[in-house]
């Protein structure tokens, strides 16, 4: 049996949920971190997650796929993923029908990313403050709107709020 | 009566990045007018209330704002440091600002140890907020004071070669001054050990403005070409390796010996207080501009408060 056919048999279709496709190979753990999939486990939510790694891809050669049953990933989280993995695609499945979402680099990101500058006011626990970044798309940087600190797109997963 | 200046009326001063050349010039010329007695601002803001919220101790910034407000006829309230205020009980910046807004503050002047604190405060009140320094990020009114000292010494800012020396990474006055200078046709040289060179966001902003500063490790390599030398202190605790600190500190001490090749017209600025990075040898020479610079803090802050609160023109 050819490899793609073997891989197809690994996981069956889902009727409700999200499929995140075109993740670069062996990077599913980063996607999982950005989407805070561990939070689902902490919430003991009734969802199943399947992570496929290093499967054959026409476009990428090899890729990872994440299937989340009974859970729709927030589009804003998908947009954050796009900062690191611009090729990524998100398929929402409702009653077996697939609708594609192409994540886009957002103009601003609020609340989801922590400022890397520990002395930033947005990292002060007792103040009612929400972190806010604007994206400098050409430079592939986020800039904190409080302290102006820069954060490279590739480092964003390390600073996602958990 | 002329209309109030809409560029400044009711606006926050939380970053030198937010101001353009003509706005800086407007401030400088208004200070010129005040200094040359072409107009008095005494009593111009009578009846208004300035809330000075200094979450970190300060001597000259606090005093100059306090005296400026009082000369303008304002009432002054607030605190000069965390001791004796409810900050020690853990009151937040947010709540403190809301409380003073309720007491009728017409302007907030805030110093805080956290970077971005002034901007956060400004988001939470309709009253104008002036930053008096936030962490190691910025000190925008000091940058205006510094610009005024340069303007006063040379009658211009364009065409000058400005060296900025010392702890550029954690020094809030240096970043604000670099932002302010990017509006003028100046050559900037950053003189600092690598660990204390300017923060990436400052360099990024300058790049966007088309300004590419030189970076140098030692003063001796550049002293001869400078018109202005802006000195800041290197704090021992900022350099992780103590032996490295001992090695580099001499390279950043300004004295008659380190300025032996400097132009006679060089002006040395320092935001003060100084420790041992700026020798008292310089005080009585023509190089010393730092006391003139410090004195400019009072009229400049009067002018700024007057512009923001729409006082006398």
């Amino acid at each position: 049996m050819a490899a793609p056919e073997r891989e197809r048999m690994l996981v069956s279709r889902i009727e409700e949920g999200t499929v995140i496709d075109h993740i670069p190979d062996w990077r599913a753990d980063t996607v999982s971190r950005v989407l805070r999939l561990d939070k689902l486990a902490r919430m003991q939510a009734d969802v199943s997650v399947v992570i496929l790694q290093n499967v054959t891809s026409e476009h990428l050669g090899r890729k990872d796929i994440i299937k989340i049953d009974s859970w729709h990933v927030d589009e804003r989280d998908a947009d954050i993923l796009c900062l690191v993995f611009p090729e990524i695609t998100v398929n929402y499945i409702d009653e077996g029908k697939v609708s594609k979402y192409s994540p886009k680099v957002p103009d601003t990101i609020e609340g989801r990313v922590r400022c890397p500058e520990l002395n930033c006011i947005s990292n002060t626990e007792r103040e009612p403050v929400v972190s806010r970044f604007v994206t400098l798309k050409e430079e592939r940087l986020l800039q904190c709107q409080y302290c102006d600190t820069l954060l490279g797109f590739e480092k964003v997963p390390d600073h996602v709020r958990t | 009566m002329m209309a109030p200046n809409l560029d400044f009326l009711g606006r926050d001063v939380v970053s030198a990045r937010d101001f353009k050349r003509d706005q800086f010039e407007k401030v400088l010329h208004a200070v010129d007018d005040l200094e040359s007695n072409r107009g008095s601002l005494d009593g111009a803001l009578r009846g208004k209330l300035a809330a000075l919220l200094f979450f970190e101790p300060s001597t000259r910034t606090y005093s100059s704002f306090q005296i400026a407000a009082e000369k303008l006829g304002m009432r002054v309230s607030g605190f000069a440091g965390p001791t004796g205020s409810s900050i020690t009980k853990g009151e937040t910046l947010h709540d403190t600002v809301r409380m003073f807004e309720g007491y009728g503050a017409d302007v907030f002047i805030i110093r805080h140890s956290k970077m971005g604190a002034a901007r956060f405060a400004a988001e939470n009140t309709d009253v104008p907020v002036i930053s008096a320094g936030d962490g190691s990020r910025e000190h925008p009114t000091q940058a205006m004071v510094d610009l005024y000292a340069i303007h006063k010494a040379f009658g211009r800012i364009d065409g000058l070669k400005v060296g900025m020396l010392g702890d550029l990474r954690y020094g809030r006055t240096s970043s604000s001054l670099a932002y302010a200078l990017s509006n003028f046709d100046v050559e900037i040289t950053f003189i600092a050990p690598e660990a204390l060179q300017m923060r990436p966001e400052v360099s990024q902003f300058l790049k966007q403005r088309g300004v590419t500063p030189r970076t140098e490790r030692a003063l001796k390599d550049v002293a001869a070409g400078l018109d202005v030398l802006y000195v800041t202190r290197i704090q021992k605790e900022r350099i992780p390796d103590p032996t490295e600190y001992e090695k580099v500190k001499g390279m950043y001490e300004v004295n008659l010996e380190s300025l032996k090749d400097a132009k006679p017209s060089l002006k040395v600025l320092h935001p003060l207080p100084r420790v041992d990075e700026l020798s008292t040898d310089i005080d009585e020479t023509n190089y010393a501009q730092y006391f003139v610079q410090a004195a400019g803090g009072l009229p400049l802050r009067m002018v700024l408060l007057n512009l923001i609160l729409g006082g006398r023109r």
Side-chain angles (χ1 to χ4, degrees):
Chain A
M1 198 185 295
E5 210 169 312
R6 282 204 315 272
E7 288 162 358
R8 259 199 298 279
M9 291 177 68
L10 284 173
V11 182
S12 56
R13 286 165 57 88
I14 57 174
E15 288 297 308
E16 196 72 38
T18 313
V19 177
I20 302 156
D21 203 350
H22 301 109
I23 304 167
D25 53 329
W26 303 112
R27 300 298 304 277
D29 57 332
T30 304
V31 174
S32 168
R33 185 149 32 101
V34 172
L35 298 180
R36 296 169 286 184
L37 293 183
D38 59 322
K39 213 172 179 178
L40 295 179
R42 285 206 299 276
M43 289 162 61
Q44 297 188 312
D46 186 18
V47 297
S48 311
V49 177
V50 177
I51 297 178
L52 295 167
Q53 296 201 275
N54 201 36
V55 299
T56 314
S57 161
E58 265 181 45
H59 299 301
L60 302 173
R62 292 279 175 177
K63 66 177 178 181
D64 288 2
I65 300 170
I66 297 180
K67 287 188 169 194
I68 308 163
D69 180 47
S70 308
W71 186 268
H72 279 207
V73 163
D74 193 308
E75 287 183 2
R76 288 170 297 180
D77 284 334
D79 289 344
I80 292 175
L81 281 174
C82 174
L83 301 176
V84 202
F85 306 125
E87 302 282 314
I88 216 161
T89 57
V90 176
N91 299 308
Y92 293 114
I93 299 144
D94 292 292
E95 294 175 350
K97 283 187 188 155
V98 179
S99 55
K100 277 190 187 297
Y101 177 68
S102 299
K104 53 197 176 306
V105 172
D107 295 327
T108 58
I109 297 175
E110 281 196 27
R112 287 174 142 68
V113 177
R114 193 182 282 277
C115 180
E117 170 54 61
L118 296 178
N119 198 36
C120 175
I121 190 77
S122 68
N123 284 324
T124 310
E125 272 180 22
R126 293 193 60 252
E127 297 288 352
V129 57
V130 176
S131 71
R132 193 169 68 244
F133 293 85
V134 294
T135 48
L136 309 176
K137 293 179 187 175
E138 223 167 88
E139 295 85 357
R140 296 186 54 77
L141 293 166
L142 298 188
Q143 183 153 42
C144 173
Q145 288 306 279
Y146 289 104
C147 73
D148 301 318
T149 295
L150 299 169
L151 177 65
F153 281 4
E154 72 289 351
K155 291 188 179 151
V156 169
D158 298 334
H159 297 277
V160 167
R161 283 182 185 274
T162 52
Chain B
M1 196 175 133
M2 290 170 81
N5 194 317
L6 296 179
D7 264 358
F8 286 90
L9 191 65
R11 85 174 278 172
D12 301 314
V13 182
V14 297
S15 170
R17 297 160 72 105
D18 300 340
F19 289 84
K20 303 232 157 39
R21 178 183 175 122
D22 61 324
Q23 295 165 329
F24 283 117
E25 285 177 338
K26 207 164 277 174
V27 173
L28 303 186
H29 294 144
V31 184
D32 276 340
D33 286 348
L34 184 60
E35 290 260 83
S36 56
N37 296 317
R38 281 198 291 270
S40 164
L41 291 178
D42 289 3
L45 296 175
R46 200 169 300 289
K48 304 246 186 214
L49 174 63
L52 271 68
L53 311 182
F54 277 58
F55 292 77
E56 267 192 342
S58 153
T59 306
R60 85 206 64 243
T61 307
Y62 184 90
S63 304
S64 67
F65 267 118
Q66 181 188 25
I67 298 167
E70 286 172 354
K71 279 179 78 90
L72 290 160
M74 301 180 79
R75 288 168 296 129
V76 174
S77 185
F79 44 89
T83 316
S85 73
S86 54
I87 309 312
T88 47
K89 295 181 201 160
E91 183 154 47
T92 59
L93 169 63
H94 172 269
D95 288 3
T96 309
V97 165
R98 297 296 297 269
M99 190 182 72
F100 274 92
E101 187 174 16
Y103 293 165
D106 293 294
V107 63
F108 284 110
I109 298 152
I110 297 177
R111 170 167 289 187
H112 200 281
S113 62
K114 293 282 177 182
M115 296 166 81
R119 185 161 274 151
F120 171 64
E123 284 180 357
N124 284 285
T125 174
D126 293 330
V127 173
V129 170
I130 301 176
S131 169
D134 58 345
S136 51
R137 178 180 161 267
E138 274 209 64
H139 195 343
T141 67
Q142 181 63 46
M144 293 178 185
V145 172
D146 300 340
L147 279 189
Y148 186 67
I150 298 172
H151 161 81
K152 198 167 175 175
F154 294 92
R156 65 190 162 95
I157 295 170
D158 288 328
L160 297 176
K161 292 181 177 165
V162 181
M164 299 174 72
L165 174 96
D167 184 351
L168 307 181
R169 187 173 188 83
Y170 300 99
R172 55 188 165 205
T173 63
S174 311
S175 30
S176 285
L177 180 58
Y179 291 142
L181 284 172
S182 71
N183 292 281
F184 297 87
D185 181 19
V186 290
E187 278 182 37
I188 304 174
T189 306
F190 295 148
I191 311 153
E194 204 177 332
L196 300 180
Q197 273 291 350
M198 203 57 100
R199 293 193 303 279
E201 66 267 24
V202 181
S203 305
Q204 166 77 17
F205 182 86
L206 298 183
K207 198 172 136 195
Q208 282 171 348
R209 285 275 175 97
V211 177
T212 315
R214 281 171 59 192
T215 54
E216 292 287 347
R217 296 269 332 256
L219 174 60
K220 66 176 172 48
D221 300 335
V222 284
L226 297 175
D227 299 302
V228 175
L229 177 61
Y230 189 79
V231 184
T232 61
R233 182 161 62 98
I234 291 185
Q235 290 167 278
K236 197 174 180 174
E237 60 274 18
R238 297 290 191 202
I239 298 193
D241 179 356
T243 55
E244 179 68 15
Y245 171 76
E246 291 304 323
K247 241 190 287 175
V248 301
K249 72 169 190 181
M251 289 160 74
Y252 303 98
E253 279 170 9
V254 177
N255 49 38
L256 285 177
E257 170 60 22
S258 61
L259 295 183
K260 67 180 187 326
D261 298 327
K263 292 180 187 176
S265 57
L266 173 78
K267 293 296 176 197
V268 176
L269 274 69
H270 191 302
L272 302 177
R274 63 177 157 183
V275 182
D276 48 12
E277 69 283 6
L278 179 59
S279 166
T280 50
D281 294 357
I282 310 282
D283 290 3
E284 302 308 321
T285 69
N286 285 334
Y287 297 140
Q289 181 74 357
Y290 31 92
F291 293 124
V292 175
Q293 177 190 3
L298 178 62
L300 190 131
R301 287 175 173 121
M302 284 178 75
V303 159
L304 197 58
L305 284 167
N306 186 60
L307 285 169
I308 290 169
L309 294 176
R312 200 173 296 154
R313 287 182 49 95

